[in-house]
Amino acid sequence: MRYVVLWSFIFSYIFCVGALQAQKPSKPNAAELKQALNKLEVLGSAMYVAAHPDDENTNLIAYLANEKKYRTTYLSMTRGDGGQNLIGTDIREYLGIIRTQELLAARRTDGGEQIFTRANDFGYSKDPNETFNFWDKEKVLADMVWAIRKHRPDIIITRFDTTRVPGGRMHGHHTASAILAQEAFDLAGNPQAFPEQIEYVAPWQPKSLYWNTYNFGGGFTSEHEDEPGYFSVNIGVYNPLLGQSYSEISALSRSQHKSQGFGSTGSRGDNNGYLMYWKGDMPQDDIFDNINDSWSRIVGGEPIGQAIRKVNAEFDISNPAAIVPELMKIRKNIAGLGNEYWRNVKLKELNQIIKGALGLFLEVKANDFSAVKGEQVFLQWEAINRSAVSVILQGIQMEGKSLLNETKALSNNLDVRGSFDFQISEKEISQPYWLFNTNENIGMYEVNQPLLVGLPENPPALLATFKLKIAAEDFEYTIPVVYKENDRVEGEVYRPFVITPPVFVSLEEDILFFIDNEPKSVEVLVKAGMDNVNGTVQLNLPQGWEASTNDIPYELIQKGDEFRYQLFITPPAHPSDDFLSVSTTLNGKVYDRGLRTIDYDHIPYQMIFPKTEVRLVKADLKISGERIGYIMGSGDEIPSSLEQMGFRVDLLDPEKINQTMLSSYDAVVVGIRAFNTVERMSFVQPELMKYVQDGGNVIVQYNTAMRNQPPIGPYPFSISRDRVTDEYAEVRILAPDHPVLNIPNKITSKDFEGWVQERGLYFPDEWDSHYTAVLSANDKGETPKNGGLLVTQYGRGYFVYTGYSWFRELPQGVPGAYRIFANMVSLGQDEIINQDKVQDNK
């Protein structure tokens, strides 16, 4: 019964909500309304399948959604959690949230819809079999079948092949997505497959399955056009209503993937895409030949299609509202159809057309961006009809409660406003549903509410339903309650209204790393999610660890107030690796979640409530040197990890780097992909080399290969795409006597235990003889990759280039990674100390 209620709520969200969370209400112009009317005439559906955000062919999606006018869905296996972030330091699940929102922005641009499976992007994989060792194949397959049954695509198109492109490269997730698409295509129409879904969705068999053969550096070209089963589609068509070609729209869509640096420039003119038939019915000349995408495909649909064509032909761009009375009659006929799927899809489209044609603006906004369950919130509503069509507001309902019973005529362009108080019911907090549960399985997200599976984000925390009479016909619009404010620079700014815990409790660090027995200070932060909260913070320490105090009382008067308390954590005498959890009890209930926010200009503001756990690591680690300069690249958390080791770290501005500045540092570390993302690195590099010549120490972390690659080190090396994805792969020591493996920490094979996600990436494959290759590793069945850690002396100093994934290991508190990195930044310090001793003796 619980799931039936939830399904009803999700149904309202999917088919009735006009605007996505935290987006300004849609206000289509006349050309956009004409485009929507054209789409209303078409009953076709397509699904595009790939592995990650930014894998999708936005050009083809734009073409399918706007030229063919099909309901077009992009099914991404993952949310891109395992990638890198070019715009900030958020990685892992937080990067997944960013990339989810970027996908939603892309779909708002190209006209598609976005869905997911529960698969987690655990990092690069070279083989689909390895991928299925992490993904639960049966669950991901079930999610794909669920998606097909819900969205009922006539055709499915995969981005990737089921095998590697000959002579090319392929990500194991990519290949796995194509393998799963083939299997799901065969199973979706079989009621015996995943029968638990049949209570909510009917079996569905798509017509055909294709591979979009335009692939990375390989695949088919136009020379295959005469082969059976090979089709070309001109996806470069110009749409005069939208004022752009689909290639131009595609570039705008792809440019939403800002965290991955996929900014694109639009193109014009014919642009063929290519599809290879895989399964199902094979059409003769065109992939759409075997699809009836007119209203005649459903019982009772032909008269509705004729009525829509007539209204569309009569549409007057100078008076869009003139067709609303006829649209209301059409709406009544669609509502009576027996085909539930197309009835709901077309009602959603038609409702938005009617709303746009009327210039109807409906909004309910909260006086604050958050509330807790049981709290009373003040809501303001607004309704305005900007047309001559009769519109009457008959009431407003929320969660079945009538909050406005008064009838109000919405006269042309006269704003009607009001307000009311509403008490929040027993609701879950607005934690992203796929992150709600802690899960040790790194390949899958755990989702306990199956009807949420696939949704790109949570349904809105609150929904309001406006009950109207339009042209004498009853009508309802369900919209999300939002929060908005006026920013002095940006103007009107929307953000999601969310349900939060009444109190947040956290520590300032995710990891506390100890290299000796001395206690470390840490700050406890308690933040009020509502007025008048008080209680006691409890620290749950693992055995052997001690805190200077435990039960910490607090009292907060107003929502948003903070209480900070500094305490000291003392490690055990022996090495240890464990977790500290923090919680507080309020009104007899334990709260153990903190608050994390994600705030970028190009996506809606995000609030996440992670479980408050801090990793405690006591390691046998020594350091030499004190002060480190850090040049940030695309964004990582290594500076804070270096501080955990005991170094003083300064972030260096590339615009201001000079010899005098550099000479004050014991080492300079260059962040990941700095030479790819920081324009001034070609000017900074000579300064760094002079610093090395004079006795400095520079460590450069991985970069990707670029055309006309500028020099990075004092001697040449060539960056390849070589990588070691198995975090358990054996690491062999090639230069056991090298200082980087001995001073100040003796590095052994034990230091490569407990690594996460991968060993490293973008290793050099060729290098000058001045470099010493220190370590070697490889994935199973591959040749040794020896370029992951290259060290050379240059003048009186050291230069290090390393492709090992320190940016993942150090933030995760991997002890061995700390020890090796400490050795890298300590290079040459023993020589300086010895020189100082000689000078002292003199």
Side-chain angles (χ1 to χ4, degrees):
M1 185 66 183
R2 174 188 175 209
Y3 290 150
V4 173
V5 173
L6 179 62
W7 176 246
S8 176
F9 176 66
I10 294 172
F11 174 88
S12 297
Y13 168 57
I14 294 172
F15 289 109
C16 300
V17 176
L20 290 170
Q21 290 200 56
Q23 299 305 312
K24 292 182 180 181
S26 174
K27 301 171 187 175
N29 59 41
E32 291 167 333
L33 286 172
K34 179 64 175 177
Q35 175 72 11
L37 282 166
N38 292 342
K39 187 165 187 169
L40 192 64
E41 292 190 27
V42 178
L43 275 64
S45 181
M47 179 176 289
Y48 200 88
V49 176
H52 311 104
D54 72 49
D55 282 346
E56 77 275 25
N57 184 341
T58 54
N59 204 331
L60 184 55
I61 289 175
Y63 173 86
L64 290 168
N66 298 286
E67 182 66 21
K68 295 304 297 182
K69 307 171 192 67
Y70 280 18
R71 184 188 188 193
T72 305
T73 306
Y74 174 41
L75 172 60
S76 177
M77 298 292 100
T78 76
R79 297 175 185 268
D81 328 70
Q84 287 86 55
N85 183 1
L86 296 184
I87 60 174
T89 60
D90 300 289
I91 58 174
R92 298 182 297 276
E93 66 269 28
Y94 302 112
L95 177 58
I97 291 172
I98 293 169
R99 298 185 74 183
T100 293
Q101 291 298 323
E102 288 176 339
L103 273 175
L104 288 170
R107 298 295 80 77
R108 289 191 292 273
T109 304
D110 59 34
E113 300 178 35
Q114 186 61 51
I115 55 175
F116 295 92
T117 76
R118 287 170 288 178
N120 176 261
D121 179 3
F122 57 85
Y124 193 91
S125 171
K126 296 178 179 177
D127 183 85
N129 293 323
E130 180 196 40
T131 297
F132 291 135
N133 287 336
F134 289 91
W135 292 357
D136 186 321
K137 183 180 178 183
E138 191 71 5
K139 288 182 179 178
V140 182
L141 184 60
D143 292 352
M144 292 189 73
V145 169
W146 170 257
I148 293 169
R149 288 170 173 173
K150 279 180 66 176
H151 291 262
R152 297 193 180 189
D154 294 309
I155 57 172
I156 297 176
I157 302 169
T158 71
R159 181 70 176 87
F160 302 106
D161 195 3
T162 55
T163 60
R164 289 185 178 215
V165 176
R169 302 171 299 272
M170 189 58 64
H171 194 322
H173 297 180
H174 294 170
T175 311
S177 71
I179 293 170
L180 288 166
Q182 288 200 348
E183 295 184 18
F185 181 88
D186 293 336
L187 294 174
N190 180 0
Q192 303 304 315
F194 307 108
E196 69 280 1
Q197 298 178 2
I198 303 303
E199 182 180 354
Y200 309 107
V201 288
W204 177 255
Q205 182 57 58
K207 287 279 188 182
S208 309
L209 174 66
Y210 300 91
W211 169 36
N212 183 193
T213 62
Y214 179 72
N215 228 319
F216 299 120
F220 297 91
T221 61
S222 58
E223 66 187 42
H224 295 264
E225 282 183 322
D226 294 331
E227 296 180 10
Y230 186 74
F231 301 92
S232 66
V233 181
N234 182 6
I235 54 179
V237 177
Y238 174 73
N239 188 316
L241 291 174
L242 302 181
Q244 299 177 92
S245 71
Y246 298 122
S247 300
E248 290 173 308
I249 293 172
S250 166
L252 294 173
S253 174
R254 193 154 186 77
S255 295
Q256 302 304 315
H257 296 298
K258 300 184 188 303
S259 67
Q260 305 304 296
F262 275 106
S264 300
T265 299
S267 62
R268 287 143 294 281
D270 288 349
N271 176 20
N272 283 338
Y274 299 97
L275 301 170
M276 175 59 76
Y277 163 82
W278 269 355
K279 288 191 173 189
D281 297 338
M282 187 170 75
Q284 244 350 76
D285 303 312
D286 185 291
I287 64 168
F288 309 104
D289 282 348
N290 61 345
I291 300 170
N292 177 5
D293 56 16
S294 72
W295 278 89
S296 65
R297 73 180 292 169
I298 61 175
V299 176
E302 181 60 36
I304 294 174
Q306 293 173 358
I308 293 172
R309 285 192 294 275
K310 182 174 183 297
V311 168
N312 195 2
E314 295 171 351
F315 179 70
D316 181 358
I317 63 170
S318 64
N319 184 19
I323 62 170
V324 168
E326 289 303 315
L327 290 179
M328 292 301 296
K329 295 176 185 176
I330 292 171
R331 184 180 184 276
K332 191 172 184 179
N333 290 331
I334 292 176
L337 287 172
N339 187 302
E340 183 181 13
Y341 173 77
W342 283 114
R343 181 183 72 217
N344 291 331
V345 169
K346 291 303 173 180
L347 278 178
K348 179 185 175 184
E349 291 179 14
L350 182 55
N351 288 350
Q352 295 311 305
I353 293 170
I354 293 169
K355 187 167 179 279
L358 292 169
L360 185 62
F361 179 88
L362 304 171
E363 184 172 84
V364 177
K365 64 177 183 177
N367 67 328
D368 202 347
F369 58 82
S370 69
V372 305
K373 63 182 180 182
E375 185 178 359
Q376 188 164 277
V377 294
F378 180 69
L379 303 175
Q380 295 173 289
W381 61 269
E382 178 183 1
I384 184 170
N385 163 34
R386 289 169 283 190
S387 76
V389 176
S390 172
V391 180
I392 298 172
L393 175 60
Q394 297 180 308
I396 301 175
Q397 289 187 345
M398 290 180 61
E399 298 184 355
K401 301 174 184 176
S402 293
L403 301 171
L404 176 70
N405 295 313
E406 183 181 355
T407 298
K408 295 178 180 288
L410 301 183
S411 301
N412 189 358
N413 209 33
L414 292 180
D415 204 10
V416 180
R417 297 170 182 257
S419 62
F420 46 76
D421 292 318
F422 181 78
Q423 188 168 17
I424 305 294
S425 63
E426 290 293 311
K427 285 182 172 290
E428 296 278 13
I429 60 174
S430 300
Q431 175 80 338
Y433 72 87
W434 63 96
L435 299 179
F436 200 92
N437 302 294
T438 56
N439 185 6
E440 295 300 322
N441 184 350
I442 65 172
M444 296 292 295
Y445 283 122
E446 180 184 341
V447 181
N448 290 337
Q449 296 180 340
L451 295 177
L452 293 175
V453 170
L455 296 183
E457 57 184 343
N458 288 12
L462 289 178
L463 292 170
T465 298
F466 283 78
K467 302 180 79 65
L468 305 165
K469 191 175 284 288
I470 299 176
E473 296 287 343
D474 288 335
F475 202 95
E476 291 185 358
Y477 274 113
T478 299
I479 62 172
V481 173
V482 297
Y483 173 77
K484 72 176 181 180
E485 60 186 353
N486 186 72
D487 182 88
R488 292 180 62 185
V489 176
E490 300 295 331
E492 188 178 59
V493 176
Y494 283 75
R495 63 184 285 184
F497 174 80
V498 297
I499 307 298
T500 76
V503 61
F504 311 99
V505 56
S506 58
L507 298 185
E508 62 180 340
E509 304 287 353
D510 293 328
I511 291 174
L512 288 174
F513 198 96
F514 295 78
I515 64 174
D516 52 33
N517 295 329
E518 292 300 311
K520 275 193 174 185
S521 66
V522 63
E523 188 174 76
V524 174
L525 171 63
V526 184
K527 189 179 182 73
M530 61 180 294
D531 293 343
N532 300 316
V533 294
N534 61 84
T536 303
V537 175
Q538 292 91 35
L539 277 69
N540 305 301
L541 284 157
Q543 187 174 4
W545 293 80
E546 296 179 357
S548 57
T549 186
N550 197 326
D551 295 333
I552 307 165
Y554 64 89
E555 183 175 4
L556 301 170
I557 304 303
Q558 291 185 317
K559 177 180 179 177
D561 284 353
E562 295 181 354
F563 168 79
R564 295 176 182 270
Y565 186 88
Q566 191 174 53
L567 54 84
F568 292 87
I569 303 291
T570 303
H574 52 82
S576 177
D577 189 348
D578 215 320
F579 286 89
L580 156 69
S581 62
V582 185
S583 62
T584 184
T585 302
L586 186 66
N587 298 324
K589 185 170 181 180
V590 175
Y591 294 94
D592 58 358
R593 292 184 181 269
L595 172 63
R596 174 110 178 218
T597 60
I598 296 177
D599 187 10
Y600 294 91
D601 290 340
H602 68 296
I603 63 173
Y605 192 91
Q606 303 290 307
M607 296 179 71
I608 307 99
F609 316 112
K611 291 272 191 179
T612 304
E613 282 191 336
V614 176
R615 188 172 182 178
L616 301 176
V617 179
K618 167 68 183 305
D620 179 14
L621 181 144
K622 304 178 183 68
I623 64 171
S624 295
E626 297 178 356
R627 195 173 178 201
I628 295 175
Y630 200 94
I631 302 173
M632 190 64 75
S634 63
D636 59 60
E637 297 176 342
I638 288 181
S640 62
S641 299
L642 293 170
E643 289 174 341
Q644 291 268 11
M645 292 187 211
F647 293 107
R648 174 185 167 186
V649 182
D650 295 330
L651 296 182
L652 304 183
D653 182 351
E655 296 284 341
K656 300 177 181 179
I657 290 175
N658 57 52
Q659 285 304 295
T660 302
M661 172 194 294
L662 295 176
S663 64
S664 63
Y665 294 103
D666 298 310
V668 174
V669 180
V670 181
I672 60 173
R673 297 189 67 178
F675 282 85
N676 301 135
T677 60
V678 180
E679 289 186 9
R680 281 195 57 81
M681 286 308 295
S682 59
F683 299 100
V684 171
Q685 193 265 358
E687 299 295 325
L688 292 174
M689 294 307 101
K690 291 175 187 174
Y691 163 73
V692 174
Q693 276 186 311
D694 291 341
N697 177 20
V698 169
I699 299 97
V700 176
Q701 298 174 78
Y702 94 92
N703 287 265
T704 60
M706 298 189 298
R707 292 181 182 177
N708 303 315
Q709 179 80 54
I712 293 178
Y715 308 110
F717 56 86
S718 175
I719 298 173
S720 72
R721 294 183 65 88
D722 288 347
R723 61 200 303 161
V724 181
T725 62
D726 183 359
E727 61 268 43
Y728 304 109
E730 178 191 6
V731 179
R732 298 171 293 277
I733 294 175
L734 301 178
D737 297 328
H738 197 284
V740 79
L741 297 180
N742 292 277
I743 302 171
N745 303 287
K746 177 64 177 177
I747 302 304
T748 69
S749 59
K750 186 175 177 60
D751 290 299
F752 296 97
E753 296 176 1
W755 282 44
V756 297
Q757 189 159 325
E758 61 198 350
R759 288 297 190 195
L761 61 171
Y762 298 104
F763 290 177
D765 59 354
E766 295 180 359
W767 51 88
D768 187 275
S769 60
H770 284 88
Y771 291 103
T772 298
V774 177
L775 301 174
S776 176
N778 57 270
D779 286 320
K780 185 177 180 180
E782 295 191 357
T783 59
K785 306 296 183 286
N786 298 343
L789 181 57
L790 302 178
V791 186
T792 185
Q793 281 191 281
Y794 182 61
R796 295 189 293 114
Y798 283 91
F799 173 83
V800 178
Y801 183 87
T802 176
Y804 283 92
S805 59
W806 314 107
F807 73 104
R808 298 200 190 281
E809 311 312 320
L810 297 188
Q812 287 293 103
V814 178
Y818 272 78
R819 285 165 48 84
I820 302 166
F821 210 94
N823 281 15
M824 289 193 297
V825 298
S826 300
L827 275 170
Q829 289 302 307
D830 60 320
E831 298 168 24
I832 294 172
I833 292 170
N834 290 334
Q835 290 170 7
D836 289 343
K837 286 180 179 179
V838 170
Q839 292 296 326
D840 291 343
N841 291 335
K842 288 181 178 179

